[in-house]
Amino acid sequence: MKTETAPAAPPAAEARPPTRVLPVWANPRLGLLIVVAALVVLFSSLTPAFLDPRLTLAPLQADISVYVVVGLAQLAVLSLGHMNMAVGRMAALSTFAMGLVYDRLGVPLLVGLLVGLAVGAGIGALAGLLIAKTGVNSFVVTLALDFGLLGLVTILYTWATGGVSFAVQPSGLSALRFDTFADYCMGDVCGPRIPLVVPIAVAAALGVGLLFRHARLGREILMTGSNTVAAELSGIPTHRRIVAAHAVSGLLAALAGFLLAANNGAFSANIGESFLLPSFLAPVLGGTLLAGGAVSVLGTALGATLTQVIYKGLNLLQFSLEELKLYIGLVLLAALSLDRLRAVIAERRAVSTS
């Protein structure tokens, strides 16, 4: 005689650990926004010239545009946990290519820009290929590339211009340097006093944001940066993604070089010399992880804004160059430390209330 057994009751649902939700004030982007606003209030109270639309705010916006794109260039490889130590030299070589085609071929402004972007993307792709094929750390590869490009840029400018800069001024470059939307009116209605280079930086930021948030390529780059072995097991061509990320970094470095050349009004060999430190500060201040796997485009823009507001304010207060470097370093170190402290306190509070 068979005895029927009742079916086993389904196991009770396992208790899931509560999700740790950090408070709004622990958001690093919000913290940066508050610090920027506080510094604007401080500098404008110390020197009213800080709020001068033409002499201060318009040039400040142009500078921020350059260093936002510089930060995005570094962010592209930080997404992998890599570094691009040659970001400034990539900008220098790319702008040399732009100046050369403007000077020798007389091409329009946009065509020269596309040539420079292609050169930057090509150099970045070469760096990524070397890293992917050899397995050598990105710091070593790009640092060696930086030294090589330093000599190459010097040789090329000596050959083409006698070591100075290209004297050519392609049509439209002067407008990018001096004009704002306030200079263009429809009847009595004029635009805001925003330099023409700002929309270029905004477009670059939107493009990078869409890449990492919505495009398959960007998501696969982040997965590669988060865990390369797991990404490979998932079928992601990690070597190609490394090459692609470095190519994007080189392209953005070239764009930053073009924006700086437009602000300066010349394509010279010293473009990019000041790019390296800000390229790390902007994304790291904004919440991008050095270990890879997470990026913040908005945070990078706010980080670049913070550094340039500090520089402009201290400059208006007539600090010497050495003092500028000292105080900028101290303020940024304090900002990084406070940001980390805020995040740790918020994490502990979230754990204690769970």
Side-chain angles (χ1 to χ4, degrees), residues 309-350:
V309 166
I310 293 172
Y311 182 85
K312 181 64 71 173
L314 294 180
N315 191 27
L316 286 174
L317 292 173
Q318 298 183 344
F319 282 77
S320 68
L321 180 60
E322 292 75 15
E323 290 175 323
L324 277 173
K325 293 179 179 179
L326 172 62
Y327 286 108
I328 286 175
L330 291 175
V331 171
L332 291 175
L333 179 61
L336 284 170
S337 301
L338 290 174
D339 182 72
R340 178 58 185 161
L341 178 62
R342 185 181 66 252
V344 170
I345 293 174
E347 182 75 12
R348 290 179 178 176
R349 288 188 178 182

Side-chain angles (χ1 to χ4, degrees), residues 65-104:
S65 298
V66 173
Y67 287 98
V68 165
V69 180
V70 170
L72 293 174
Q74 196 65 249
L75 175 143
V77 293
L78 287 176
S79 64
L80 294 168
H82 289 190
M83 298 181 182
N84 184 359
M85 304 300 293
V87 63
R89 306 305 172 195
M90 290 181 181
L93 186 59
S94 300
T95 51
F96 169 81
M98 297 178 202
L100 186 66
V101 296
Y102 290 139
D103 186 59
R104 303 297 170 84

Side-chain angles (χ1 to χ4, degrees), residues 4 8 17 83-84 88 92 107 126 144 156 201 216 247 321:
E4 297 182 357
M83 298 181 182
N84 184 359
V107 300
L126 175 62
L156 289 174
R216 178 179 177 179
L321 180 60

Side-chain angles (χ1 to χ4, degrees), residues 141-159:
V141 172
T142 56
L143 184 61
L145 184 62
D146 180 67
F147 278 104
L149 291 178
L150 174 61
L152 179 60
V153 168
T154 303
I155 292 171
L156 289 174
Y157 269 97
T158 301
W159 163 74

Side-chain angles (χ1 to χ4, degrees), residues 11-173:
E14 297 181 0
R16 296 181 179 178
T19 304
R20 297 176 181 177
V21 180
L22 297 180
V24 174
W25 60 267
N27 188 314
R29 270 73 68 188
L30 179 60
L32 282 174
L33 186 60
I34 292 173
V35 172
V36 169
L39 286 173
V40 169
V41 173
L42 174 63
F43 288 134
S44 60
S45 63
L46 293 175
T47 170
F50 188 84
L51 295 180
D52 188 290
R54 182 177 293 274
L55 298 179
T56 303
L57 295 183
L60 176 61
Q61 293 174 72
D63 292 339
I64 290 172
S65 298
V66 173
Y67 287 98
V68 165
V69 180
V70 170
L72 293 174
Q74 196 65 249
L75 175 143
V77 293
L78 287 176
S79 64
L80 294 168
H82 289 190
M83 298 181 182
N84 184 359
M85 304 300 293
V87 63
R89 306 305 172 195
M90 290 181 181
L93 186 59
S94 300
T95 51
F96 169 81
M98 297 178 202
L100 186 66
V101 296
Y102 290 139
D103 186 59
R104 303 297 170 84
L105 302 179
V107 300
L109 187 68
L110 180 59
V111 173
L113 172 60
L114 293 176
V115 170
L117 295 179
V119 171
I123 302 169
L126 175 62
L129 185 64
L130 291 173
I131 294 166
K133 293 298 184 181
T134 64
V136 177
N137 188 278
S138 61
F139 175 86
V140 176
V141 172
T142 56
L143 184 61
L145 184 62
D146 180 67
F147 278 104
L149 291 178
L150 174 61
L152 179 60
V153 168
T154 303
I155 292 171
L156 289 174
Y157 269 97
T158 301
W159 163 74
T161 69
V164 188
S165 63
F166 289 101
V168 63
Q169 290 282 326
S171 177
L173 188 68

Side-chain angles (χ1 to χ4, degrees), residues 6 11 76 91 131 135 145 151 192 200 204 246 294 296-297 328 354:
I131 294 166
L145 184 62
I200 301 175
H246 280 269
S296 174
V297 173
I328 286 175
S354 60

